[in-house]
Amino acid sequence: MLRITKIITLFVFVTVSSSAVLAQKETSFTLASPNSEIQVEVNIGKNITWTVSNRSHQVISPSRIAMTLENGEELGTTPKVRDSEKKEINTTIDAINYKKDIIEDHYNQLILKFNKNYGLIFRAYDSGVAYRFTTNRKKEFTIASEEVNFNFPEDHMIYIPYANDPANDVYQISFENLYQHIPLSEINKDTIAFAPVLVELPNGMKAAITEADLESYPGMFLKAGDNDFSLKGEFAGYPLEEEQGGHNGLQSFVTKRADYIAKTSGSRSFPWRVVIISNEDKELLNNDMIYKLASAPRIDDTSWIEPGKVTWDWWNDWNISGVDFKAGINTETYKYYTDFAAENGIENILLDEGWAPKGEILNTIPDIDLDEIISYAGSKGVGVWLWSGYLPLAQNMDEALATYSEMGVKGLKVDFMNRDDQKMVDFYYEISRKAAEHQLMLDFHGSYKPTGLQRTYPNVVNFEGVRGLENTKWSNTDFPLYDTRVPYIRMLAGPMDYTPGAMINASKDNFRAIHSAPMSQGTRVHQLALYVLYEAPFNMLADNPTNYKDEPESTAFIASVPTTFDETVALDGKVGEYAAIARRKHDIWYVGAITNWDARDLEIDLSFLPEGDYEAVIFKDGVNADKEATDYKREVINVKSGEQLNVHLANGGGWAARIYPAQ
């Protein structure tokens, strides 16, 4: 539902005759953001190029825009402008299951229409710019390639996550790779990377590159461009042949790709090419551009969609203790998880991999009585989610969705897609639509980054596409460093299924990757703060119920943090160093801050609080947390709006608070 508060529309039409176009060497169009700080210039000559500046500093130097069809026709070569239209939009969006309830949607827009029935739309926001192709043709057509360029005027530093070894199908990846922090000129020219990427500009400015409203089209990868300091888009060819394989045969591997990227309807809009621009790093912690650019909701009734938290079994290897049954993938274990969830106000339990025979979706293993688990959980007010590998679900989609919806399942965690070619993107939309018809929610694991699908289909409540806590089971990745990068980069695209909540915490020297009894890097409070800091409408508790029962204070805080909010305030931060965010649900505020492996002192400004007296339940790193990462201190203090709280974060540490009106 769109609530309109104010619309200011200025139409400027320019109609150019054919003879005038032929005589015209170059035409230039300009577009400014509402605050006039960001400027876009579009030049129409032999080609179409765009240039972007922020506060008079060039962000994107002239970069060509084009699309080539399979028949050799090039949209964007010798273009002839038929007409143009400018307008200003100032309205609001009622967000669903988001980090705020109302989004201010204010932008200026330029629409260019060309001969040959295609067009370009440009938008300028105060926080960035975007453009997209449109076509208005009667017949379907095939796209051979799209030329997307982001040229930079200097050799800036970039945070870039490379894809896999190009000796294999480079487009088949988990989208979990780490960020390389390198100059643009040193980007590996023999591979590709996935978005978002983040470019450092002068004077503390940043530019993030990604896409939005990706539908029936391949996702955009990025690679070294033709210039020394540039990036260009790369797109997976359409899958022609596939074979079953991968983990337990749950994946579909492309063995032959077409020399085209998409077959598409003749009249449509294509994905947005997005540059998010910040003047301070903390602005990236509270950016709404992808949600704004996404298509409007296609579900009329969203009252049944209830995101929340969920107990998770796989990361902790079902390692509950103190019970008189053998813990594992069985009915008794999931009843135990259900009891824990009910006792602590956790809305859901998840049956992860193993509840169904390998490669199947419509049967259960003998030790699982799914009807009994669902009935028992329902009696406790707890929802049941099921994990599924991609291929079995894709092969049995209609029957599986109908069966589990009728049984009372609340949602599905879908895993191992590991692609974003056009065929896979179509799968996301198909299952989102059909799941909504059966009132089932979805969590996409093994997925590409979000591009706004969660707005279009609000029953989609989370995405992975991030190197989450599960990797601590086998990897020595520097997680506190990664944890302080992803809120500024990956989280720009949308929610992250990072799965925090470890109760066994380790300092840098004490950490070991252990598969069956895993631990986190950094402090206990670092884990607690992630529930506030990371956007996740469907948020997991990674550890096992026994460990949570042994840590009631930490568990109570985790349980108290909502997964969607009414307001978000970015407090402070620097990419790769630290981040601090405040979020409000009704009249209660939640604050989370984390640091990398460097201890630091922060000042938390409470000016976001309305006037009045408040109590704050605070979790902070203990005095010995630098060596014993589980060490923390909980305290309750009185606070007021405008106060400054001096906060110390230990190595790999954190700080978390729940602030509510004093009684």
Side-chain angles (χ1 to χ4, degrees):
M1 178 181 178
L2 190 69
R3 184 169 65 197
I4 300 176
T5 56
K6 180 181 179 186
I7 298 180
I8 305 171
T9 306
L10 175 64
F11 294 96
V12 179
F13 294 95
V14 178
T15 303
V16 187
S17 69
S18 298
S19 58
V21 170
L22 291 172
Q24 166 188 307
K25 292 184 178 179
E26 186 170 295
T27 302
S28 179
F29 298 87
T30 59
L31 185 70
S33 60
N35 64 8
S36 299
E37 291 188 354
I38 295 175
Q39 301 280 333
V40 180
E41 182 176 337
V42 184
N43 286 292
I44 314 295
K46 291 182 179 179
N47 301 304
I48 303 172
T49 63
W50 74 319
T51 306
V52 180
S53 63
N54 179 48
R55 294 185 173 180
S56 300
H57 178 86
Q58 192 174 79
V59 177
I60 302 295
S61 54
S63 301
R64 187 175 182 232
I65 297 170
M67 181 180 286
T68 302
L69 309 190
E70 192 180 39
N71 62 7
E73 181 184 355
E74 293 186 358
L75 311 185
T77 300
T78 60
K80 298 178 181 179
V81 179
R82 184 160 48 85
D83 60 55
S84 69
E85 171 192 331
K86 272 188 182 181
K87 60 182 176 180
E88 179 182 6
I89 300 295
N90 189 357
T91 185
T92 59
I93 298 170
D94 289 324
I96 303 171
N97 301 330
Y98 194 55
K99 60 188 174 186
K100 58 189 70 170
D101 57 356
I102 302 294
I103 299 173
E104 301 297 328
D105 193 20
H106 190 189
Y107 60 90
N108 290 324
Q109 180 168 276
L110 168 67
I111 300 176
L112 298 176
K113 295 180 180 179
F114 301 89
N115 288 357
K116 299 184 179 180
N117 295 319
Y118 74 94
L120 284 167
I121 303 175
F122 293 84
R123 286 187 185 177
Y125 297 82
D126 290 344
S127 58
V129 297
Y131 79 83
R132 76 190 315 176
F133 269 101
T134 62
T135 54
N136 184 20
R137 301 183 171 199
K138 294 180 179 180
K139 296 181 179 180
E140 294 182 352
F141 59 92
T142 300
I143 300 170
S145 63
E146 181 184 350
E147 186 169 350
V148 184
N149 295 286
F150 303 95
N151 298 328
F152 292 90
E154 301 174 38
D155 195 11
H156 301 308
M157 297 292 289
I158 184 174
Y159 293 90
I160 185 168
Y162 290 131
N164 292 346
D165 185 346
N168 302 311
D169 181 44
V170 73
Y171 308 109
Q172 189 114 13
I173 63 172
S174 65
F175 301 94
E176 298 179 34
N177 297 23
L178 299 174
Y179 298 102
Q180 306 295 314
H181 189 208
I182 56 175
L184 284 163
S185 61
E186 294 182 11
I187 293 175
N188 185 344
K189 293 179 172 56
D190 295 326
T191 189
I192 59 176
F194 54 88
V197 300
L198 184 66
V199 179
E200 296 180 341
L201 305 173
N203 303 318
M205 295 186 294
K206 301 286 191 299
I209 296 171
T210 189
E211 61 185 331
D213 211 22
L214 173 65
E215 182 172 5
S216 195
Y217 201 79
M220 181 180 67
F221 289 86
L222 294 163
K223 63 180 182 180
D226 298 329
N227 302 326
D228 289 338
F229 316 138
S230 66
L231 297 165
K232 66 187 305 182
E234 170 85 0
F235 302 89
Y238 189 86
L240 295 178
E241 297 177 6
E242 301 176 51
E243 65 179 24
Q244 185 172 352
H247 177 71
N248 288 334
L250 299 171
Q251 296 172 249
S252 182
F253 286 96
V254 179
T255 56
K256 183 179 180 181
R257 292 188 182 274
D259 57 2
Y260 58 84
I261 64 174
K263 287 184 176 291
T264 187
S265 59
S267 182
R268 63 165 294 180
S269 296
F270 290 84
W272 291 101
R273 310 301 170 209
V274 183
V275 181
I276 296 170
I277 299 170
S278 68
N279 297 308
E280 297 180 84
D281 286 7
K282 72 176 184 179
E283 295 171 10
L284 298 172
L285 298 173
N286 188 21
N287 186 285
D288 303 307
M289 273 193 66
I290 303 305
Y291 197 95
K292 292 175 182 178
L293 291 166
S295 292
R298 297 176 186 171
I299 302 174
D300 293 330
D301 176 19
T302 60
S303 61
W304 57 273
I305 302 172
E306 298 177 341
K309 288 182 287 294
V310 57
T311 63
W312 192 27
D313 49 4
W314 184 87
W315 185 78
N316 58 73
D317 202 19
W318 299 268
N319 277 329
I320 59 178
S321 58
V323 296
D324 57 3
F325 58 86
K326 184 66 175 177
I329 307 174
N330 55 54
T331 300
E332 291 83 0
T333 297
Y334 288 111
K335 284 186 174 181
Y336 182 89
Y337 276 81
T338 296
D339 290 338
F340 164 75
E343 291 164 4
N344 290 276
I346 308 302
E347 295 89 344
N348 305 282
I349 65 168
L350 169 69
L351 280 63
D352 210 285
E353 185 179 13
W355 66 272
K358 289 183 180 180
E360 296 188 37
I361 183 67
L362 292 167
N363 296 302
T364 64
I365 62 172
D367 287 341
I368 290 291
D369 186 332
L370 192 53
D371 280 317
E372 184 176 349
I373 292 170
I374 294 171
S375 176
Y376 185 78
S379 71
K380 300 276 187 174
V382 174
V384 175
W385 280 63
L386 300 177
W387 178 95
S388 171
Y390 155 70
L391 193 57
L393 181 58
Q395 293 171 336
N396 302 277
M397 187 186 302
D398 292 333
E399 186 177 0
L401 295 177
T403 297
Y404 293 118
S405 175
E406 290 172 7
M407 290 180 67
V409 169
K410 298 296 183 183
L412 299 176
K413 175 184 174 181
V414 190
D415 205 348
F416 289 113
M417 288 75 70
N418 289 25
R419 289 167 25 207
D420 68 352
D421 47 50
Q422 184 187 26
K423 185 175 180 181
M424 186 59 74
V425 171
D426 285 343
F427 165 79
Y428 276 66
Y429 277 81
E430 181 185 16
I431 193 170
S432 298
R433 174 179 58 81
K434 290 183 175 180
E437 292 171 357
H438 291 284
Q439 296 197 349
L440 287 168
M441 292 178 279
L442 294 172
D443 172 22
F444 287 118
H445 217 62
S447 68
Y448 60 84
K449 84 280 181 187
T451 63
L453 179 62
Q454 69 276 19
R455 179 185 176 194
T456 308
Y457 286 100
N459 58 316
V460 177
V461 292
N462 216 345
F463 302 79
E464 192 185 23
V466 66
R467 196 180 188 92
L469 189 72
E470 66 184 29
N471 286 267
T472 60
K473 291 166 73 75
W474 56 78
S475 171
N476 288 312
T477 295
D478 184 339
F479 278 94
L481 174 64
Y482 184 76
D483 292 352
T484 52
R485 285 178 171 177
V486 289
Y488 300 94
I489 309 173
R490 161 60 181 82
M491 200 167 75
L492 286 170
M496 306 187 300
D497 196 7
Y498 180 93
T499 67
M503 292 294 102
I504 303 174
N505 317 106
S507 64
K508 192 172 187 178
D509 293 336
N510 293 338
F511 174 79
R512 290 181 297 150
I514 302 174
H515 191 276
S516 187
M519 64 185 74
S520 72
Q521 294 181 11
T523 70
R524 167 70 56 76
V525 186
H526 185 105
Q527 289 293 303
L528 301 185
L530 294 181
Y531 284 92
V532 179
L533 192 68
Y534 287 179
E535 294 168 27
F538 184 67
N539 209 350
M540 297 192 186
L541 281 71
D543 223 320
N544 74 70
T546 304
N547 285 351
Y548 287 123
K549 288 182 178 182
D550 290 341
E551 299 289 346
E553 289 183 338
S554 296
T555 302
F557 179 81
I558 292 171
S560 75
V561 180
T563 61
T564 62
F565 298 88
D566 299 328
E567 185 179 355
T568 290
V569 178
L571 298 177
D572 198 3
K574 189 172 183 180
V575 178
E577 296 186 15
Y578 66 99
I581 285 178
R583 304 189 194 273
R584 177 181 61 83
K585 187 75 168 184
H586 306 310
D587 61 351
I588 301 177
W589 285 86
Y590 303 84
V591 185
I594 61 170
T595 183
N596 57 16
W597 280 122
D598 295 329
R600 70 184 71 245
D601 294 306
L602 299 181
E603 196 171 71
I604 302 294
D605 184 354
L606 299 182
S607 296
F608 57 83
L609 293 173
E611 292 296 322
D613 297 324
Y614 295 85
E615 287 184 347
V617 177
I618 292 173
F619 286 77
K620 59 185 181 181
D621 294 324
V623 294
N624 297 304
D626 58 332
K627 294 177 64 178
E628 174 47 72
T630 60
D631 186 32
Y632 73 90
K633 183 176 182 180
R634 177 188 182 274
E635 60 184 15
V636 180
I637 64 173
N638 296 319
V639 297
K640 291 185 177 181
S641 176
E643 288 186 10
Q644 309 290 319
L645 296 182
N646 295 317
V647 172
H648 177 74
L649 282 67
N651 311 52
W655 189 89
R658 180 176 182 268
I659 305 174
Y660 49 89
Q663 300 300 318

